Amino acid sequence: MLRYATALFSILALPAAAQCVGDSFYDLLGADQKAELEASVADLPYARGLTWAATRGEDTLTILGTIHVFDPRLAPIREKTGEALRSADLVMLEATPVEEAALQDMITTDPGRLFIVDGPTLPERLDEETWQLVSDAATQRGIPGFMAAKMQPWYLSLTLAIPPCAMQEMTSGLSGLDKMVIADAQAAGVPMQALEPFTVLFDLFEGQSIAEQIDMLRVNMLDPALQQQMFVAMLDLYFAEEVGKLWNMSRIAIAQTPGLDPVEGMAIFEQMQASLLDQRNRNWFEVIKEATASNDDIFIAIGAAHLIGDAGILQLLENDGWTVTQIP
């Protein structure tokens, strides 16, 4: 199960997978839906772009929006930002190898963080029909039903957010852009720092009630065909640098999820955005500001969804007096 635990760092903020091919959810949208999506990003701060520079006085930040799994189209992005990384005083990421090692050690020594060790298991908490859907979905991703039954619902929810077509890619060892940044920093001898403790996501989800976690599980139980279409669209929009469209497209997908009330689904989505993106962005911003006190040139690699919006990292920097420009 360590390979699935490690995937926690790979599925939040911007899931994507190179092995998911076929129809794109975006291409299947009607004209009215595409117009709605366009309107939703018209005034969204920093809705388009993956590579940015922020300057204030003698301080310079190079900011890269990443995806967390391998795709051959990442090579030009890696090359484009390589010089800025190699010349940086510090590289900041969501997690460095230190945090990843600590995560795996914690799971070994404290399995209750991810698995139900006391009390009712998921089959006992869900109705038979829902559990069967969950069990089948887990099996499609290589997770036996008996193991899924003992997973904390928030953790299983995040795992099932990865479509079957992506799971092999996620656990194959191929490097996403974050891992490429780590490898390049190690090769150049540039020190690295995590933007948050590795326990942040655990603390966030464990603070939710079991009922709230099960609601999240239901939201992530998308129809497999829809889920694959979403992943294809996410990849396409990422490499088109349309990050705002990528994120807001998820709202349309939730409204089309069978068996889920659109109002309830949207409320859960907004709650997840507030905790997984907005609050973490505010926390990261403080860490970045502190790092600038002793480093003039910092390279920052974060999931692309953290760049956009009024609560995105780029807008927070602008609000603090930084000059933010896109790197062409």
Side-chain angles (χ1 to χ4, degrees), residues 4 11 141 143 151 154-163 167:
Y4 295 113
I11 59 182
R141 291 157 176 80
I143 306 171
M151 294 172 73
W154 68 266
Y155 176 43
L156 181 58
S157 173
L158 296 179
T159 304
L160 297 186
I162 310 170
M167 185 59 81

Side-chain angles (χ1 to χ4, degrees), residues 98-119:
V98 172
E99 284 70 40
E100 292 175 355
L103 167 66
Q104 295 201 10
D105 181 66
M106 184 189 73
I107 294 166
T108 301
T109 59
D110 188 10
R113 301 299 296 267
L114 287 182
F115 301 100
I116 299 170
V117 293
D118 295 303

Side-chain angles (χ1 to χ4, degrees), residues 227-284:
Q227 197 174 47
Q228 182 158 333
Q229 292 164 3
M230 282 291 295
F231 269 60
V232 172
M234 286 177 176
L235 274 174
D236 291 347
L237 290 173
Y238 173 82
F239 287 106
E241 304 198 9
E242 296 284 359
V243 185
K245 285 184 183 179
L246 185 158
W247 186 253
N248 284 347
M249 183 178 63
S250 301
R251 303 173 188 273
I252 297 176
I254 286 177
Q256 296 183 197
T257 301
L260 179 66
D261 177 71
V263 175
E264 179 184 359
M266 192 54 58
I268 297 171
F269 182 89
E270 296 291 350
Q271 180 182 9
M272 291 174 63
Q273 175 175 325
S275 54
L276 288 177
L277 288 183
D278 298 348
Q279 184 56 54
R280 291 172 73 208
N281 287 343
R282 288 188 285 270
N283 295 342
W284 293 357

Side-chain angles (χ1 to χ4, degrees), residues 4-48:
Y4 295 113
T6 303
L8 272 175
F9 287 98
S10 303
I11 59 182
L12 294 173
L14 184 60
Q19 293 299 317
C20 292
V21 296
D23 292 332
S24 163
F25 180 79
Y26 179 79
D27 292 339
L28 298 176
L29 294 177
D32 290 345
Q33 290 173 312
K34 287 184 177 180
E36 175 188 342
L37 190 55
E38 290 284 350
S40 74
V41 300
D43 298 318
L44 185 68
Y46 301 104
R48 190 178 191 281

